[in-house]
Amino acid sequence: MHMLEVRDLTKRYPKFTLQQVSFVLRPGRIMGLIGKNGAGKTTTLKCLLNLVRPDGGTVEMFGKDFRSHEASCKQQIGVVLGGVDFYKHKKLAQITAVTKRFYAHWDDRAYAKYLEMFDLDPDKRVQELSAGMKVKYMVALALSHQARLLIFDEPTSGLDPVARDDLLHLFRELVRDGSRSILYSTHITSDLEKCADDITYIKDGRLLRSAAKEEFIRSFQGLKEPGEEGELTLEEIMIRSERRGYHV
């Protein structure tokens, strides 16, 4: 059973269309969703979560149609779409007290562990947190109700290199036993070199390629210049593909 299966996901706006995006995320895998700003990464995440109503396509989570089983599926997912942009004068403990009521399997011990791991003070107010600390707090919430599927939009944005590396290490630990999977968008391709198993690349609203990382990288080696030595990195693949309009 796949953790997530997206088929022909489509969303039309007056000046942008997400066109028939399809990919599969298997248990115990980390998938990086890449593309330049405006390519459709956030639209894809919001559509598959039904935060934005798609115009076409289907989404299955844990073998179930997401639209038909939205409430039960959302009990098993952890989502971070940006930082904490609300209740700026509230303490973290107050926001957590409200959030935990929505989850049947909230785990106070796990929450306390992640607060300690991320060096978060529950008595701090949101307005006192840096951008990176806000991301860490949202990640702590997402990890504290036994979620099987974690969906993050730019989770390492705003983090310093050490904090980013710690978070990526945590991601690897979370999927190690095969009980969880992670889908996350990022523009920091070096992060994907370290932790991603699969890469899904969206360009101008279209799916360019979705494959295991090694296969993905191999499929773009046609972007190399004649006589150029070595394998292209993910960053080089993205830069050259965007400049040349390359399609696999």
Side-chain angles (χ1 to χ4, degrees):
M1 179 182 69
H2 300 312
M3 285 287 193
L4 173 66
E5 185 168 357
V6 178
R7 301 192 203 97
D8 299 324
L9 198 63
T10 299
K11 178 64 180 178
R12 300 179 185 88
Y13 291 106
K15 295 184 178 181
F16 174 80
T17 300
L18 187 72
Q19 302 180 57
Q20 297 182 313
V21 170
S22 302
F23 58 88
V24 169
L25 178 57
R26 302 193 302 277
R29 307 282 287 186
I30 298 175
M31 176 179 284
L33 181 63
I34 64 172
K36 70 178 183 180
N37 290 340
K41 302 188 301 296
T42 299
T43 298
T44 298
L45 297 182
K46 289 184 175 180
C47 281
L48 68 87
L49 291 167
N50 206 28
L51 298 175
V52 170
R53 183 61 63 92
D55 294 311
T58 60
V59 176
E60 287 189 3
M61 290 186 187
F62 322 115
K64 300 178 181 179
D65 178 75
F66 181 72
R67 292 275 295 277
S68 301
H69 300 86
E70 186 168 348
S72 62
C73 286
K74 283 186 173 179
Q75 286 289 320
Q76 301 179 73
I77 63 177
V79 179
V80 177
L81 300 177
V84 190
D85 295 323
F86 49 90
Y87 303 133
K88 294 182 179 179
H89 300 288
K90 294 289 187 181
K91 294 181 179 180
L92 300 188
Q94 294 172 303
I95 297 175
T96 301
V98 173
T99 302
K100 65 190 289 185
R101 298 176 189 172
F102 292 95
Y103 295 103
H105 301 291
W106 180 268
D107 187 336
D108 280 320
R109 287 183 296 180
Y111 175 68
K113 179 182 74 173
Y114 291 120
L115 284 190
E116 182 178 359
M117 179 184 297
F118 296 147
D119 196 25
L120 289 165
D121 181 352
D123 290 323
K124 280 278 186 75
R125 300 180 189 277
V126 171
Q127 64 184 3
E128 298 176 283
L129 301 182
S130 67
M133 295 303 282
K134 290 178 183 178
V135 172
K136 289 181 180 180
Y137 174 62
M138 295 300 288
V139 170
L141 290 179
L143 294 174
S144 297
H145 59 272
Q146 301 179 26
R148 297 168 60 197
L149 173 62
L150 301 169
I151 299 174
F152 300 142
D153 191 11
E154 301 279 359
T156 59
S157 180
L159 298 182
D160 62 65
V162 174
R164 274 173 42 208
D165 196 61
D166 288 345
L167 187 59
L168 297 177
H169 177 72
L170 174 62
F171 284 179
R172 293 304 324 169
E173 290 299 312
L174 288 170
V175 303
R176 187 178 300 278
D177 65 0
S179 64
R180 295 186 185 93
S181 297
I182 297 173
L183 169 65
Y184 80 100
S185 70
T186 185
H187 65 278
I188 306 173
T189 52
S190 59
D191 288 355
L192 301 178
E193 301 277 5
K194 295 178 181 178
C195 81
D197 300 300
D198 308 299
I199 306 291
T200 294
Y201 183 7
I202 295 177
K203 183 176 184 291
D204 300 326
R206 295 177 179 269
L207 177 72
L208 203 59
R209 181 72 164 158
S210 184
K213 182 171 61 180
E214 294 78 11
E215 179 187 344
F216 179 93
I217 291 173
R218 284 196 302 270
S219 69
F220 281 90
Q221 295 309 302
L223 288 168
K224 291 168 61 175
E225 300 290 347
E228 186 175 3
E229 298 294 331
E231 193 172 63
L232 295 178
T233 66
L234 286 172
E235 181 177 5
E236 290 169 334
I237 286 170
M238 273 196 65
I239 291 172
R240 297 187 190 195
S241 177
E242 295 294 339
R243 286 179 176 172
R244 302 182 192 179
Y246 186 82
H247 291 267
V248 177

